[in-house]
Amino acid sequence: MNIHEYQAKEVFARYGIPVPPGRVATSPAEVRKIASELGKPVVVKAQVHVGGRGKAGGIKFGTTPSEAEKVASQVLGMSIKGLVVEKVLVTASIDVIAESYLGLVVDRRAKKPVFMASPAGGVDIEEVARTTPEKIFKMHVDPCVGLLPYQSRFLASKLDEDSKLRSQIASIAHKLWRVFWEMDCSLAEINPLVRTKDGQIIALDAKINLDDNALDRHPDLAAMREGETEHDRMAREMGLSYVKLDGSIGCCVNGAGLAMATMDLIKHYGGEPANFLDIGGSSSPDKVLTAMKIICSDPKVKAVFFNIFGGITRCDDVATGIVAALKEMDVKVPIVIRLTGTNEEKAREILGKANLKSTTSMDEGVRQVLKTAQEGVS
């Protein structure tokens, strides 16, 4: 689960990581009031779950409360990569001398968290890694002992030469580790971590991604869930992994790896997937029905491709779900089914009674769904 910047800063503040003063607002008048209370120039920042807010015009400055109100009216309601801005964070503007990066993610290959620090902050860290990898310093943390003091000092030494500032950075690194570890994060990031004119180190931005599997241990964090679409909610409640994309081929697959391979093959043959949808490893007909409702509600979808490799997932369960969906829904797009594995013969029998055909070849299934999408026939 992703949370907004203002929520991540609330978490940072709990742990003593310095952040600029500010509050969230939902109207220009509220922005004006907050700016007046802060009594200094402010930054108005769009709160949406997507990067590139600054380039999209979602971050603006206001030197007076009136100006803050004016720029807020431009930001609120705007669309950034398809997401409408409903909230803005109003924070005091900071005089920045230098920007750096400090973040923690899970290194799955090493099976432990890895700290990353870079003096090249304020820009996309992936871009830094691509163009100037020598500016990124990595350090794994043993989860059995946590971040040790010498490791905090090592990270700080890579970000500033001033010994007093290094002490502040090392303290922030230790607090960021506690956030990451105690809140069950998959990512905790400060970009940029800035040095101010008066010699303070402040987290100017904040990003936290949480492990969904641990949310039961953090009801306060689970309550921060915002910006969820109806389809996202339906998928989450049914245990489906769903990500909307911009293509025209609806995909319903079991397993993340097979889903990725399916999307790759669709693109290989010149198509574009409309979504990533993984029904999981122990699918039920209800899951398939929900998946169909989500996929078919996208007006861009011209055909639906079921690609099922039966293991724990039973092909007959999926077939039953497809037949139930066609009975319950007015499906107006063609459906192509590829299934093989557990109970596939029983599945074909179920599909056959509903006059539905299937193939066992993934390659053939992809080519067929692209053809039917182009022709608009079932």
Side-chain angles (χ1 to χ4, degrees):
M1 184 182 98
N2 299 337
I3 59 177
H4 289 300
E5 175 192 353
Y6 80 91
Q7 296 167 320
K9 283 182 172 175
E10 288 175 6
V11 176
F12 279 7
R14 286 186 217 166
Y15 281 80
I17 296 175
V19 296
R23 295 207 311 274
V24 70
T26 57
S27 70
E30 199 175 354
V31 170
R32 181 190 183 109
K33 182 172 183 292
I34 295 171
S36 297
E37 292 172 359
L38 291 172
K40 55 177 63 176
V42 297
V43 186
V44 178
K45 309 176 77 173
Q47 298 299 286
V48 287
H49 291 306
V50 67
R53 294 175 299 170
K55 291 179 181 178
I59 299 178
K60 294 183 180 294
F61 293 86
T63 55
T64 65
S66 296
E67 190 177 355
E69 182 180 26
K70 182 179 178 181
V71 299
S73 67
Q74 298 167 0
V75 175
L76 284 164
M78 72 181 299
S79 176
I80 301 179
K81 298 182 180 178
L83 298 177
V84 177
V85 179
E86 297 178 344
K87 294 181 178 179
V88 292
L89 175 61
V90 187
T91 65
S93 180
I94 302 293
D95 290 328
V96 175
I97 289 194
E99 298 181 330
S100 56
Y101 173 94
L102 193 62
L104 265 160
V105 295
V106 176
D107 184 342
R108 299 186 186 281
R109 180 171 297 177
K111 300 178 182 177
K112 58 181 69 174
V114 59
F115 243 117
M116 293 188 294
S118 174
V123 296
D124 191 340
I125 194 64
E126 286 80 8
E127 180 65 17
V128 176
R130 189 180 66 82
T131 58
T132 53
E134 71 278 7
K135 292 183 178 179
I136 297 180
F137 302 93
K138 297 182 179 180
M139 186 182 64
H140 288 96
V141 181
D142 186 338
C144 294
V145 296
L147 185 70
L148 298 173
Y150 82 88
Q151 292 177 307
S152 299
R153 293 194 293 272
F154 169 79
L155 290 166
S157 72
K158 300 301 180 183
L159 301 184
D160 208 295
E161 296 179 351
D162 187 300
S163 60
K164 292 182 179 178
L165 296 179
R166 285 183 179 182
S167 176
Q168 289 187 50
I169 296 171
S171 174
I172 291 173
H174 179 70
K175 291 166 182 171
L176 188 64
W177 162 254
R178 285 189 57 209
V179 170
F180 180 85
W181 186 250
E182 295 176 14
M183 296 292 104
D184 290 308
C185 299
S186 57
L187 178 148
E189 179 182 87
I190 303 173
N191 189 22
L193 179 69
V194 302
R195 172 158 55 97
T196 66
K197 280 186 177 179
D198 57 354
Q200 300 298 310
I201 302 295
I202 293 177
L204 203 59
D205 203 344
K207 184 175 182 180
I208 289 178
N209 294 347
L210 302 161
D211 182 351
D212 285 359
N213 297 310
L215 286 178
D216 286 345
R217 298 197 299 208
H218 307 287
D220 56 331
L221 299 179
M224 290 182 173
R225 190 187 296 276
E226 288 184 7
E228 191 177 50
T229 67
E230 176 63 13
H231 292 158
D232 291 336
R233 183 193 62 75
M234 289 170 63
R236 176 174 55 81
E237 291 181 351
M238 191 51 73
L240 307 174
S241 297
Y242 170 71
V243 179
K244 187 182 181 316
L245 302 172
D246 293 329
S248 61
I249 306 299
C251 302
C252 186
V253 186
N254 69 308
L258 184 60
M260 297 296 288
T262 302
M263 292 193 295
D264 284 348
L265 199 57
I266 289 173
K267 291 181 76 70
H268 173 74
Y269 281 112
E272 290 291 338
N275 62 274
F276 172 102
L277 196 153
D278 173 12
I279 59 175
S282 57
S283 186
S284 70
D286 287 342
K287 277 190 173 183
V288 177
L289 178 59
T290 302
M292 279 291 286
K293 288 179 178 176
I294 293 172
I295 293 172
C296 293
S297 64
D298 182 349
K300 289 185 178 179
V301 170
K302 295 181 178 177
V304 178
F305 181 44
F306 276 85
N307 188 14
I308 305 299
F309 187 87
I312 298 174
T313 301
R314 289 170 37 182
C315 292
D316 57 318
D317 274 349
V318 175
T320 301
I322 294 172
V323 173
L326 292 175
K327 286 182 179 176
E328 184 173 319
M329 300 167 55
D330 182 17
V331 179
K332 298 183 181 301
V333 296
I335 298 173
V336 174
I337 305 164
R338 178 260 179 171
L339 50 79
T340 186
T342 306
N343 288 0
E344 65 176 87
E345 293 303 325
K346 190 174 179 181
R348 285 187 220 296
E349 184 180 333
I350 294 169
L351 294 173
K353 291 178 180 177
N355 295 319
L356 294 170
K357 297 179 181 178
S358 66
T359 178
T360 58
S361 166
M362 182 167 155
D363 195 85
E364 180 185 333
V366 169
R367 285 187 279 116
Q368 189 177 343
V369 76
L370 293 176
K371 183 173 183 291
T372 54
Q374 191 173 27
E375 296 173 347
V377 297
S378 57

